[in-house]
Each structure stands twice: as C-alpha cells, then as structure tokens.
Amino acid sequence: MIRGTTTLIAHLGYPTDAFKAPMIYNPWFEQSGIDAVVMPMGVKPGDYAMVLQSLFRLTNIRGALITMPHKVSTLALVDECTPAAEIAGACNAILRRPDGSLLGDMFDGAGFVRGVLRKGLKLAGARVLVVGGGGVGSAIAASLAAAGVGAMGLYDVFPASAEALGARLRKHYPALQVGTGSKDPAGYDLVVNATPLGMNEDDPLPVDVARMAPSTFAGEVVMKKEMTAFLRAAQARGCRVQVGSDMLFEQIPAYLEFFGFGTATPEDLRAVARLSY
C-alpha cells in the first residue's frame, strides 16, 4: 500500500518493460513492514538530465536505481561518486544525503561477482572475457579485477568504449593483463554477456558459443527472460551458467544498506519475490 508517508525510490531507465527490481524490492518492503516503494519511471536519454534534477526536488524521495541507458551519463549528474562508480565509469544507484547532495554508487559488478563466487567459480588468477563495455560491462570488469582475475579480454561494438575501459583498469590494476578488440571466447574461464543481446528472440549470440570449452562459466546480464539464447547454448555445451536476475538478487542487499533499509540475504529476497517473465 502506497501512503502519504511512503518513501520513494525511483527506478529510472528506458524502456521499463524488462524491469525486475520492483517485483523483488516491493514484496520485501511489504513483508518487512518498511514504508517504501520502488517505482519504475521511463525516461528517454534526451530528457534524463532534466527529469533527474526535477525528481530530486521531491520531498519524499530517498534515492534512485539507474538502469540502461543512463548509467554512464549519471556520473556527471551527481555531486559525488564512490570509487567503484569512478572505476566502472557508470553509476546505478543514487542516494540523496541529508544535506540534499547526491551520491552515486555502482553495484552491478559486485552483484555479478558475488553470484559466480557463490556458485563455486574461482576468480583468483582466472581468464575472463567481458563482452560489452557500457555501464554494466564496465562495472563487472571493475569488480572482476578487484576479485583478482589474472587476465581480461574486453570487447564492444564501439572499440573506443573497450579501449577506455581497458585504460581505466590498467591504471588501477597495473598487474592485470588486459586485451581488447576480440570476442573469441576460446581459452577463457568465464565469459560474460554484458550487452543487450538476448532481449529479443531474433538477437544474434554475443559470442561464438561453439568456441567455448565445457569448463567455461557463462554469465548473463539480460533479465527480460531467465534463460537467454546465450545461456541455453552455453548450457548445451556443458557450461555452468548464471542468469541475469542472479546478479540482481546478489546486489540488492548492498542496495538496501546504501539506502538505509537494513539488509537481507539473496535467499530471503527470492522467498518473497514475485518475478514474472
């Protein structure tokens, strides 16, 4: 029930039809007796800066979840960013602090890494390929580097995006071997689809799955459906997989703490979530 006392967390992106967060947060708030709501708000890129500035003039808003295509542009619209957001070059959460200033943070990478570690993947010294150098791909790459991977391949359809991400990684992790320009998945321990490919049934696969070894772990960020064509093909090769929503469940406890709503375990959240695809 939304009341006059309800605290608002905006969920900003475009389009909104694939949003899953409201179906996780809002049942958790209801069960926990927390008077808050996550509200999807569709904002096109041309309107985003104006909408964000106006939105945080509301008196009952505490923060915002930021998703595609606004994660990168948000960096320039907040007053301060955490190191995680700076390294990722993107922001997926905004907190309005008591003085009215806006703090930006990034949790995509942490959620993804926590998920694959819980599934038993050893990241220390691993070889990883991240396909997609936008907001979510950059965040995952940053967190994988922090987790101690030994070598990382980066690919984006816009080569400059992959090169810029590679430069940021080399600056903060000089011992990390970073390569760009190829999406050949052969020889990697982990392959991550951090692109929108898989949102639609007729999308091409992000990599040539036939080049992946059965020992390779496949990770996905698309949440519109649970098993994308990439994950189905990888699973058919014998690969272990992580679905896109796992990244979301793993990062939500960090979000809850960021917004001051306590914490939860992924299992607690799954028990009450009302996801639909």
Side-chain angles (χ1 to χ4, degrees):
M1 175 65 68
I2 298 175
R3 307 171 178 84
T5 56
T6 301
T7 296
L8 176 64
I9 302 292
H11 190 181
L12 303 172
Y14 181 82
T16 63
D17 57 307
F19 285 11
K20 302 302 180 192
M23 293 180 277
I24 303 172
Y25 283 90
N26 293 335
W28 169 255
F29 288 153
E30 183 179 357
Q31 186 216 327
S32 303
I34 296 172
D35 190 9
V37 64
V38 170
M39 178 64 68
M41 298 181 179
V43 187
K44 293 183 178 180
D47 299 322
Y48 181 61
M50 178 188 66
V51 169
L52 189 71
Q53 182 181 30
S54 299
L55 192 62
F56 276 98
R57 296 180 69 87
L58 298 175
T59 60
N60 62 333
I61 188 170
R62 181 170 300 181
L65 307 174
I66 311 298
T67 190
M68 292 186 294
H70 305 310
K71 295 181 182 182
V72 174
S73 61
T74 298
L75 278 180
L77 301 175
V78 296
D79 298 297
E80 183 183 351
C81 290
T82 64
E86 290 178 0
I87 294 170
C91 171
N92 72 347
I94 300 173
L95 174 69
R96 184 171 69 182
R97 294 181 287 196
D99 64 359
S101 64
L102 303 182
L103 174 66
D105 206 339
M106 168 52 75
F107 295 106
D108 279 345
F112 183 91
V113 166
R114 286 172 60 171
V116 297
L117 287 172
R118 278 163 56 91
K119 293 175 179 64
L121 182 64
K122 306 299 183 184
L123 289 179
R127 292 178 51 81
V128 302
L129 172 65
V130 180
V131 182
V136 64
S138 297
I140 289 172
S143 291
L144 287 170
V149 301
M152 188 180 305
L154 304 171
Y155 177 84
D156 193 90
V157 292
F158 300 104
S161 295
E163 290 293 342
L165 173 57
R168 295 195 299 273
L169 286 168
R170 293 184 188 101
K171 176 182 177 182
H172 290 276
Y173 301 97
L176 178 64
Q177 298 177 34
V178 180
T180 62
S182 173
K183 61 175 182 177
D184 182 359
Y188 286 102
D189 303 300
L190 168 65
V191 175
V192 185
N193 175 36
T195 78
L197 295 176
M199 295 276 285
N200 304 303
E201 282 297 335
D202 58 351
D203 284 344
L205 295 178
V207 299
D208 181 359
V209 176
R211 298 273 297 162
M212 290 171 58
S215 59
T216 303
F217 194 107
E220 178 66 271
V221 304
V222 170
M223 299 183 198
K224 188 172 183 179
K225 58 193 71 176
E226 185 169 34
M227 289 297 293
T228 60
F230 169 58
L231 292 185
R232 291 197 302 269
Q235 204 168 56
R237 292 279 299 166
C239 301
R240 292 179 292 164
V241 303
Q242 174 163 287
V243 303
S245 62
D246 283 352
M247 180 179 71
L248 187 59
F249 279 105
E250 291 285 352
Q251 66 183 284
I252 286 179
Y255 273 117
L256 291 171
E257 295 168 10
F258 181 65
F259 290 129
F261 293 127
T263 191
T265 68
E267 291 76 17
D268 293 336
L269 294 163
R270 287 186 181 279
V272 298
R274 300 171 193 164
L275 284 179
S276 61
Y277 293 93

